[in-house]
Amino acid sequence: MEANGFVSRRVDTPSVDAGVAAGAAGADIRWLGGRILDATEGFVGGLSPPRITAEPDFTAVLQLRAAPEPTVAATETEIDYEGLPQGVATSTHMLAGAVAGIMEHCLMYPIDCVKTRMQSLQPEPGARYRNVMDALRQIVRTEGVWRPVRGLNVMAIGAGPAHALYFACYEKLKFSLSNVVHPGANSHFANGMAGCMATVLHDAIMNPAEVVKQRMQMYNSPYRGVSDCVGSIWRREGPGAFYRSYTTQLTMNVPFQALHFMTYEYLQELLNPHRQYNPSSHVISGALAGAIAAAATTPLDVCKTLLNTQEALAVHAEVPGALGVGASVGTASATGGRHISGLWEAFRTVYRMGGGSAFFKGVQARIIYQMPSTAISWSVYEFFKYVITKRQYERRLHHRDGEK
């Protein structure tokens, strides 16, 4: 009988590994996440088969017996919050994911604004910055204290549902694919695949919000607000403009999320092998995973920024004299010019205007943005997952005590 992720069994046969049989033969043990613990929660060893199933082969080896009812004092040690996907509704993941996504994007939004500007291929003199802190100081001094958070509301609106689907899809697929690829154990390949699939849903919701956000973040942005930006893009460029960079964003985010999730899960195995709620391990793993993935995919992010902003000087680069001296860099929608579409055209434009180094414009800001962003996202998500699981466990325990 299972009790909160623990299964009690009695070892009666020599089929158990010698190291386990010597210390636990005939004694009460507990099976948790591929490990065997004795009645005092101490580690005893592991079984030769990597996983216990309901197949007849194992019934002769391990005989199931009822686990003792947990006491209130044992609540903290017996909560297996990593077991949440198997026993809790998808809405739990969606709630935790939505809160994590909104906090991640809102707290780091000023750095995201700096990143967008530093990726400009031909910035105006007033928008040329030495580093992230210099950019923030100049923006606040010359454009006002609220300028770095312009467009924050549209990002918060998009981040909630996008991250809700993102984390719910990832958690479900992670366990399903792991059981196929490597039954009974964690699979880095399955984690990466789950992250890639979850990204498709995430980007489908976030892409329109990204377009509006980056247009409003640009220097000399001509839009008065979010509604003005949305209306102007719709009238001048059509609804397709909101998804012009979708394939590029997927091309960037699929390898980004694969690296991100694989690195995070790998670091969790090193720093938190028992998969308990450990805030410091979630923060460190999330930050390092975000930094590595961000640095590796910066060239694609530069192309995505160009497709979203349609930077006017880049759009008219093939037409000499199309923009006179002193023309605003702005966005193409403000000038009514042609549009850059497709990853290949974006790559070609970036290389023609800045050479190979242009593909790494804003890499410092991107890493500085992604490290705390992913750390915040994972730590908030794991915290909410733990709290929700703990409350549901206590509710079940209270209900069980009331029936006695």
Side-chain angles (χ1 to χ4, degrees):
M1 182 174 110
E2 292 192 8
N4 313 301
F6 289 86
V7 180
S8 293
R9 303 179 186 272
R10 181 176 292 276
V11 179
D12 289 320
T13 76
S15 297
V16 185
D17 288 350
V20 177
D28 257 343
I29 62 171
R30 293 190 173 196
W31 170 267
L32 173 62
R35 298 179 179 83
I36 296 179
L37 298 91
D38 61 19
T40 62
E41 306 287 324
F43 178 77
V44 177
L47 296 180
S48 295
R51 187 181 183 188
I52 297 178
T53 68
E55 296 176 4
D57 295 343
F58 288 101
T59 57
V61 179
L62 298 173
Q63 297 177 352
L64 185 65
R65 64 188 292 271
E69 294 294 331
T71 62
V72 176
T75 298
E76 291 295 329
T77 59
E78 295 199 3
I79 293 176
D80 176 21
Y81 89 105
E82 282 293 338
L84 180 62
Q86 297 173 343
V88 176
T90 303
S91 59
T92 299
H93 292 294
M94 297 184 77
L95 175 60
V99 174
I102 291 172
M103 288 190 67
E104 167 196 347
H105 285 283
C106 289
L107 291 175
M108 297 307 301
Y109 192 83
I111 306 299
D112 185 49
C113 176
V114 171
K115 176 188 74 74
T116 297
R117 292 196 179 194
M118 293 184 77
Q119 287 180 338
S120 175
L121 297 177
Q122 293 290 332
E124 290 190 17
R128 293 175 182 172
Y129 314 112
R130 295 190 300 272
N131 51 52
V132 175
M133 291 308 299
D134 177 59
L136 283 173
R137 280 195 297 267
Q138 284 197 46
I139 292 172
V140 170
R141 186 175 65 250
T142 61
E143 302 173 57
V145 69
W146 297 111
R147 190 62 180 83
V149 295
R150 192 164 183 255
L152 175 64
N153 50 348
V154 71
M155 184 52 53
I157 293 171
H163 280 73
L165 288 175
Y166 176 69
F167 278 106
C169 181
Y170 171 70
E171 291 283 0
K172 293 293 182 182
L173 290 174
K174 178 177 73 172
F175 282 92
S176 299
L177 293 174
S178 290
N179 287 334
V180 173
V181 176
H182 195 175
N186 185 37
S187 169
H188 297 305
F189 175 76
N191 296 333
M193 287 298 297
C196 293
M197 294 179 185
T199 299
V200 176
L201 291 176
H202 172 273
D203 287 357
I205 297 175
M206 282 295 289
N207 209 84
E210 284 278 346
V211 172
V212 176
K213 175 203 74 173
Q214 291 198 303
R215 297 257 181 140
M216 295 187 68
Q217 287 175 334
M218 291 295 286
Y219 184 75
N220 278 347
S221 174
Y223 308 108
R224 295 188 301 274
V226 171
S227 58
D228 178 50
C229 182
V230 172
S232 178
I233 294 173
W234 187 282
R235 289 191 304 271
R236 293 173 179 269
E237 304 174 52
F242 294 103
Y243 283 94
R244 187 179 288 126
S245 65
Y246 181 57
T247 54
T248 300
Q249 184 137 323
L250 282 180
T251 304
M252 174 187 73
N253 280 345
V254 165
F256 175 91
Q257 297 300 350
L259 281 171
H260 174 202
F261 280 110
M262 291 171 70
T263 305
Y264 179 82
E265 296 289 351
Y266 173 73
L267 290 172
Q268 279 292 285
E269 287 186 355
L270 296 179
L271 302 176
N272 187 16
H274 299 295
R275 292 307 181 100
Q276 301 299 315
Y277 175 62
N278 186 338
S280 61
S281 76
H282 300 315
V283 169
I284 294 171
S285 299
L288 291 177
I292 292 170
T297 57
T298 295
L300 290 167
D301 191 50
V302 172
C303 293
K304 183 206 75 172
T305 298
L306 175 60
L307 289 170
N308 281 344
T309 61
Q310 295 291 305
E311 191 179 345
L313 285 178
V315 169
H316 293 278
E318 296 179 354
V319 186
L323 291 178
V325 177
S328 172
V329 175
T331 58
S333 61
T335 65
R338 61 181 290 275
H339 307 298
I340 296 174
S341 60
L343 179 59
W344 174 246
E345 186 177 0
F347 257 107
R348 191 176 57 191
T349 303
V350 171
Y351 184 78
R352 183 173 60 252
M353 296 192 69
S357 61
F359 289 104
F360 288 92
K361 291 176 73 70
V363 63
Q364 179 195 42
R366 179 165 163 79
I367 292 174
I368 292 174
Y369 167 76
Q370 285 294 346
M371 284 188 72
S373 289
T374 49
I376 291 169
S377 181
W378 276 113
S379 58
V380 171
Y381 176 67
E382 299 284 6
F383 171 75
F384 269 84
K385 194 166 73 167
Y386 173 74
V387 169
I388 293 170
T389 307
K390 181 178 178 181
R391 287 183 177 177
Q392 292 188 350
Y393 173 84
E394 291 173 345
R395 192 179 300 118
R396 289 197 305 268
L397 188 60
H398 178 73
H399 178 72
R400 184 184 306 165
D401 290 341
E403 291 178 346
K404 291 183 179 179

